[in-house]
Amino acid sequence: MAKSKRTKKFEKKHLDDTLRRRKEFAKVKQKKQAVANKKARRSEENGPSKTNENGTGGVGSSPAGDKLGETSVDEFFSGGFDVLAEPKSNKQKTLTSVTGKRKRDTTAANGSDGKFDLNGTAKDSDSESSAEDHKQQLEELAEKDPEFYEYLKENDAELLDFEGADGTLRIDELSGDEDNDAEGLPGKDSQSDFKNELTMSTVKKWHSAMAEKHSIRSAKELVLAFRAAAHTDDEADSRHKYSLTDPEVYHEVVVSALRDIPEVIQHHVPLKEGKGGKVRLDMQSQSFRSLTPLLKSHAISINRLLETLSDEGTIRQTLSSILSLVPYLLSFRKLLRNLVKTVADIWSTASNKEASRIAAFLVMRKLAVIGDAGIKETVFKVTYQGFVKGCRNTTIHTIQGINLMKNSAAELWVLDPAMGYTTGYSFIRQLGIHLRASITKNSNESFKLIYNWQYVHSLDFWSRVISLSCDSLLEATAGKESPLRPLIYPLVQVTLGAMRLIPTSTYYPLRFHLIRALLRISSTTSTYIPLASVLYEVLGAAEMKKRPKQSTLKALDFNIAIKAPKPYLRTRVYQDGVGEQVSELLSEFFVLWTKNIAFPELALPVTVLFKRWLKETGNKMRGNANNRLNSMLALVVQKLESNSRWIEERRAKVEFAPNNRAGVEAFLKDLEWEKTPLGAFVVGQRKMREEKAKLIEEGRREEERKREEEQEDDSMEDFSEEEVDGVESGEDEDEDEDEDEMSE
C-alpha cells in the first residue's frame, strides 16, 4: 500500500516527537493505574469503609457507575482519568478482578515465569493490568490506523513487544533495593513466615525446568536458595526464604546455581563476540533490564560465597561461573569493584593452589579485555595492590607463587599499554618518593621502607612489565615504540638508588635481586645499563678482601634472602656464595653485548680492575686465602679476554668506518650468541644452575609431602584417641551400672 503525501510529511516532521510523547504518556498512565489499583486493593482488605455524613459508601463500596459523584477531588487526580472509564467487553477485566490477589503454592515454581520478589512474596498484578491495557490500545491502533501500526513494527518494535522474549511479562525486581542485596539481607517485605525447608526433589525440579525450558521462574527460585546457601554462616540466615540444613541439598544448590544460572542468562540475553575478545551486549533491551535484579542478586551471592570458601574445587568452579557472567556485570560498577577485590584476594593468597589462582587471574584478564578505561584502571590497581599484599612473606614455599603473580599480572599491562603507562608511572613514582624520603631522613625506620620484600618485588615486577611491553623484536614488528618505553629511565634510576642506599655486605643479596631485574630490562629492550661497576663495588668491600672465618653453616640461598644473617658475615660460606653471584651476574651482563663490535673496549676496564683485585687477594700474607673464589673470578676474566680477541679478529676484516651506523648494527647479526666464546661459557653455567635448582625443587616437594603425611597421621591419632576415650567412658558407665545392680 503506497503512503500518502500527508503520511510521509507526518513521518518526517512529527513522528519522533509523537512516539516519544506516547511512551511518556504510557509510563505516566501505568503509574496512575498502579496507584488506583493499590487504593482499591487496600479498601478491599480493610472491608467496607465508613459512611460519610450523607450515608453513602466510600470508594471501596461504591458501584462503578456512580464513582464520579462519590470520589473526592484528590482521589480523582491521584487515580488518573482512565480509572473512571466504563468497563468494556469481556476482553477487559473490571477493576475488582484485576486488583485481586493471586495465590500460588510455593512449590509450583517451575511453571510459567510469573512475578515474585527475592524473598518469595508474590508480586501484585498491577503491571499485568497495565500490560493488558497497553496491549488493548495497540490492538485498537492496529484497527484504526494499520499503516501507522506497520511503521511502528518496522521502526519501534520494542514499543509493540511489551511482553518478554519468552512470552512472559517483564521480570520484576527481585529485591526492594540494591543495598539490602549487597548486605545479603532480604527486602523490607520479607518475613520469616515464608521460610521453608528445601528438599532435593525441589532442586532437581528447578534444574530440569532450566535445562529443558530455560525457565526464569525456576532460575529466580534457585537464586533465592543460592543466596541462603551463600549466607549460611550469617546471623540473619533466618530471614531468608529457604532453609538449607541437609549438606547434600546445600551442595546441589551451589552446583546447580553455578552451572545453570549462566546458561539461562545467556539463553535469554545472548552475547555477540567481536574482534580482539570484545563482546557486544544490548544493555538497553527489555530482556536485559528484566533480568537485571536476578543477575545482581546472583553476583552478590557469588561474591559472598567466594569470601567463605576453602575447598579448591569449589573455588575453581565458582570462578569459572563468574567468567561467563563478566560481560553482563560491566554496568554494575560498585558490584564489579567488590567482586574484583574478592577475586584478587584469591589470586594473591599463597595458601591457594596454583589452578585456583590461575582461574582468578582469567577473570581479571577478561575484565581488562572487555572493560572500558574505568574498569581497566580498577583492575590494574586492585591487581597491583593484591600483588604487593601477597609478596610480603617470601620463603622457599611461596617464591613460586610470587613469580606466578609477577608473570600473570605483567600480562595485564601488555593488554593496554596506554593505560599501563598511566598506572605504571604513578606506581613507579610512588616507589621513587619512598626512596627519596629514606635518603633525606637517613634513619633505620626510613631504611626499612626500602629494604623489604615488597619493595624489591615491586621493582622486579615493573622490570617484567617493561620487558614484555618494550621488547625490541615486538616493536620492530609493530613498527612503533611501546608507550611504556619512557618508564625505563625512571625505573632504572630508582633501582640503582635502592641498591646503593646501604652499601654494606649485609644487603648484598638484595643488590643481586635488583641487578637481575635490570639485566632483564637490558636484555629485552636493548638498553645499555652500566652494571659492571655495581658488581665491582661488591668485590671492593672488606668482606671479600680479608681472610674469612671457618664455619659449618649451610650455603645461603640468595633466591629467598635480601639480607644476610649475622652468623654468615665474614664466613667462607658467605664469601663463596657472593663470589658465585658476582661471577654469574658479570658473565650474564657481558653476554648481552658479546656480539657487539665495541665489546673489547667495553670489557677492557673491567678486565684491568679484576686482574688488579685478583693480584691483591692472591697475596699469601694479605689476601683472602680463598682459592675457590679467586679461581671463579679468574675464569670469568679469561673468558672476557678470549671473547675480546675473537671480536678483534672479525672486526679487522670489516671495511666500513665507525660512523657507519648501519654497518655497526649489522656486525655479526646472523651469528648466534651461543657460538661466541663467552656465550658458550654462559650456556654451560646456566645448565649447571638449572640442574641445581631442579634438585632443590625436588627436595622442597619431598619436604612438603612428608609434612602433609605427618599432619594426616597426627589427625588420625587424635581421632583414634577420642574414640578410645569414648569407649573407655562407655565401659566405665557400664561397670557403674553393674555395681549398682549388684548392690540392689
Side-chain angles (χ1 to χ4, degrees), residues 363-386:
V363 175
M364 296 188 293
R365 185 184 185 279
K366 189 164 186 177
L367 280 171
V369 171
I370 67 177
D372 56 11
I375 294 176
K376 288 180 182 178
E377 184 178 4
T378 301
V379 172
F380 286 177
K381 289 183 178 180
V382 172
T383 301
Y384 184 71
Q385 291 170 0

Side-chain angles (χ1 to χ4, degrees), residues 173-429:
E173 293 279 320
L174 282 183
S175 60
D177 56 337
E178 183 181 353
D179 296 335
N180 287 340
D181 282 342
E183 296 174 1
L185 300 178
K188 296 179 181 179
D189 298 333
S190 175
Q191 301 293 337
S192 59
D193 298 338
F194 294 105
K195 180 177 176 181
N196 50 26
E197 182 69 25
L198 191 61
T199 60
M200 182 67 74
S201 60
T202 304
V203 179
K204 291 183 177 179
K205 203 173 182 182
W206 294 340
H207 169 66
S208 61
M210 287 184 290
E212 297 173 2
K213 304 177 182 178
H214 298 93
S215 172
I216 296 179
R217 170 175 288 185
S218 298
K220 288 188 291 182
E221 295 298 327
L222 184 58
V223 167
L224 292 172
F226 182 63
R227 192 175 75 166
H231 295 81
T232 303
D233 299 334
D234 293 351
E235 296 179 357
D237 179 44
S238 59
R239 299 181 60 185
H240 295 293
K241 176 182 177 182
Y242 292 108
S243 174
L244 288 80
T245 56
D246 189 353
E248 295 182 359
V249 175
Y250 176 88
H251 178 266
E252 186 66 23
V253 167
V254 172
V255 173
S256 299
L258 297 177
R259 180 185 61 239
D260 297 337
I261 298 299
E263 295 179 359
V264 172
I265 294 176
Q266 291 174 357
H267 173 78
H268 291 283
V269 188
L271 291 173
K272 294 181 181 179
E273 295 287 343
K275 295 182 180 180
K278 296 289 184 178
V279 295
R280 289 182 294 173
L281 176 65
D282 186 9
M283 296 184 180
Q284 302 300 326
S285 63
Q286 180 76 11
S287 55
F288 180 80
R289 291 201 303 266
S290 62
L291 284 172
T292 295
L294 182 145
L295 183 62
K296 292 171 67 175
S297 177
H298 183 62
I300 292 171
S301 300
I302 286 180
N303 187 29
R304 173 61 181 168
L305 184 66
L306 283 175
E307 294 175 352
T308 58
L309 282 178
S310 59
D311 181 65
E312 295 292 333
T314 310
I315 291 176
R316 290 195 296 271
Q317 187 176 4
T318 307
L319 293 171
S320 300
S321 179
I322 294 176
L323 193 62
S324 58
L325 293 177
V326 163
Y328 300 95
L329 303 176
L330 295 180
S331 59
F332 314 130
R333 296 305 177 95
K334 182 179 179 181
L335 189 154
L336 197 62
R337 185 164 56 249
N338 296 332
L339 187 61
V340 170
K341 289 181 181 179
T342 304
V343 174
D345 287 339
I346 296 175
W347 170 74
S348 60
T349 302
S351 59
N352 291 329
K353 298 292 183 181
E354 183 176 345
S356 301
R357 303 175 78 173
I358 293 176
F361 166 72
L362 292 177
V363 175
M364 296 188 293
R365 185 184 185 279
K366 189 164 186 177
L367 280 171
V369 171
I370 67 177
D372 56 11
I375 294 176
K376 288 180 182 178
E377 184 178 4
T378 301
V379 172
F380 286 177
K381 289 183 178 180
V382 172
T383 301
Y384 184 71
Q385 291 170 0
F387 161 72
V388 174
K389 180 182 176 182
C391 65
R392 180 177 300 172
N393 184 23
T394 302
T395 63
I396 192 174
H397 303 289
T398 61
I399 188 65
Q400 285 189 345
I402 294 173
N403 290 330
L404 173 65
M405 286 194 293
K406 291 178 184 178
N407 295 327
S408 58
E411 294 182 7
L412 295 180
W413 267 259
V414 180
L415 297 175
D416 190 351
M419 180 60 66
Y421 172 80
T422 304
T423 55
Y425 175 80
S426 61
F427 288 131
I428 294 175
R429 180 176 178 272

Side-chain angles (χ1 to χ4, degrees), residues 22 127 362 407 564 570 628 691:
R22 287 186 180 182
S127 55
L362 292 177
N407 295 327
R570 298 186 180 278
R628 183 167 179 263
E691 293 178 357

Side-chain angles (χ1 to χ4, degrees), residues 39 48 59 68 97 116 221 331 340 342 363 430 440 463 603 637 653 661 664 725:
K39 286 190 175 183
V59 176
L68 184 59
S97 60
F116 296 88
E221 295 298 327
S331 59
V340 170
T342 304
V363 175
Q430 187 178 12
T440 55
S463 72
V637 173
K653 300 178 183 179
R661 187 69 178 175
V664 170
D725 293 340

